[in-house]
């Protein structure tokens, strides 16, 4: 099974091809990885990166059996690019599209933390997105709050290491990766992929309202 993995929840625009063996629970192989870091060009870069990943893996887009996409948390505009692209590809290719938490994907690829792990990414507005994991399982999150508030929680969480682009701000030992990768994205959906589960609608994890708001009614113009 060939899986196209996409993520635009962080400044990293990620696309890759992962092969999933249907008969071995531990058998996956990353055939191609394309990552470009530019928070302002998700829309311009994602589809070219997906096509480049296919070319690098030696497969055609029509050969893809499923799509996995990060559903955040992430800024509204960037996150929407990845999810809309994934949904459009799924519709065009008639393949399932599985959404996974982007923080879970980072945790899935994180080096052995030796204990509970925090995954922390940039939420802008002087805030971070974060979730905590133990044994690879999410135990709380995802949340969005100020870095100082997260640091104050660390003793109760018992975290010993952190991953993600904002990991250094926790004061914990930092482990890779900084952003979701194809292997981690697919790892979060591999059981459903192998079982042939038809996923439900994609649900974005914005965690807060978008900056853009609908304009209010026009004020009446005085005639006096």
């Amino acid at each position: 099974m060939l899986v196209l993995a996409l993520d635009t929840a962080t400044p990293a625009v990620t696309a890759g091809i992962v092969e999933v063996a249907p008969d071995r629970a531990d058998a996956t192989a990353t055939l191609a990885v394309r990552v470009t870091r530019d928070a302002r060009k998700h829309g311009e870069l994602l589809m070219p990166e997906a096509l480049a990943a296919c070319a690098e893996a030696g497969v055609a887009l029509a050969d893809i059996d499923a799509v996995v996409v990060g559903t955040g948390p992430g800024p509204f505009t960037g996150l929407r690019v990845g999810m809309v692209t994934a949904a459009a590809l799924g519709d065009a290719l008639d393949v399932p599209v599985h959404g996974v938490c982007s923080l879970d994907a980072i945790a899935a690829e994180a080096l052995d933390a030796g204990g509970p792990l925090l995954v922390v990414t940039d939420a802008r507005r002087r805030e971070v997105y974060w979730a905590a994991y133990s044994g690879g399982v999410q135990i709380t999150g995802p949340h969005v709050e100020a870095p100082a508030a997260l640091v104050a929680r660390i003793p109760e969480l018992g975290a010993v290491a952190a991953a993600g682009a904002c990991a250094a701000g926790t004061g914990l030992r930092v482990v890779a990766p900084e952003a979701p990768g194809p292997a981690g994205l697919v790892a979060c959906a591999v059981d459903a992929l192998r079982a042939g589960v038809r996923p439900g609608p994609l649900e974005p994890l914005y965690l807060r309202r978008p900056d853009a708001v609908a304009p209010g009614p026009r004020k009446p113009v005085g005639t006096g």
Side-chain angles (χ1 to χ4, degrees):
M1 178 189 305
L2 292 173
V3 182
L4 173 63
L6 306 172
D7 191 275
T8 55
T10 75
V13 181
T14 299
I17 305 295
V18 178
E19 186 173 21
V20 177
D23 54 350
R24 287 181 53 197
D26 61 344
T28 62
T30 301
L31 305 183
V33 178
R34 303 286 297 191
V35 179
T36 302
R37 286 174 171 79
D38 193 327
R40 298 181 179 275
K41 293 187 177 181
H42 290 99
E44 298 173 42
L45 296 173
L46 183 59
M47 199 60 211
E49 290 288 56
L51 294 173
C54 287
E56 183 179 326
V59 302
L61 201 56
D63 297 327
I64 297 301
D65 299 300
V67 179
V68 174
V69 62
T71 58
F76 181 81
T77 302
L79 185 56
R80 184 173 55 181
V81 167
M83 296 182 67
V84 168
T85 299
L89 286 170
D91 185 60
L93 301 173
D94 193 25
V95 299
V97 181
H98 294 263
V100 302
C101 174
S102 301
L103 302 183
D104 290 358
I106 293 175
E109 282 195 85
L111 301 175
D112 183 12
L117 171 77
L118 290 182
V119 175
V120 191
T121 61
D122 187 7
R124 303 178 185 173
R125 303 187 198 173
R126 299 181 181 178
E127 292 182 321
V128 294
Y129 298 119
W130 69 273
Y133 301 81
S134 180
V137 177
Q138 189 185 104
I139 56 175
T140 184
H143 306 287
V144 58
E145 60 186 356
L150 169 57
V151 170
R153 290 176 181 257
I154 290 176
E156 68 184 74
L157 296 169
V160 299
C166 295
T170 65
L172 298 171
R173 177 167 55 89
V174 175
V175 298
E178 288 192 1
L185 291 161
V186 172
C188 293
V190 71
D191 289 342
L193 289 164
R194 287 199 173 99
V197 173
R198 196 75 184 183
L202 295 174
E203 296 288 344
L205 293 168
Y206 293 131
L207 301 192
R208 62 189 181 198
R209 297 178 64 84
D211 291 330
V213 296
R218 291 186 178 181
K219 294 181 179 180
V221 178
T223 58

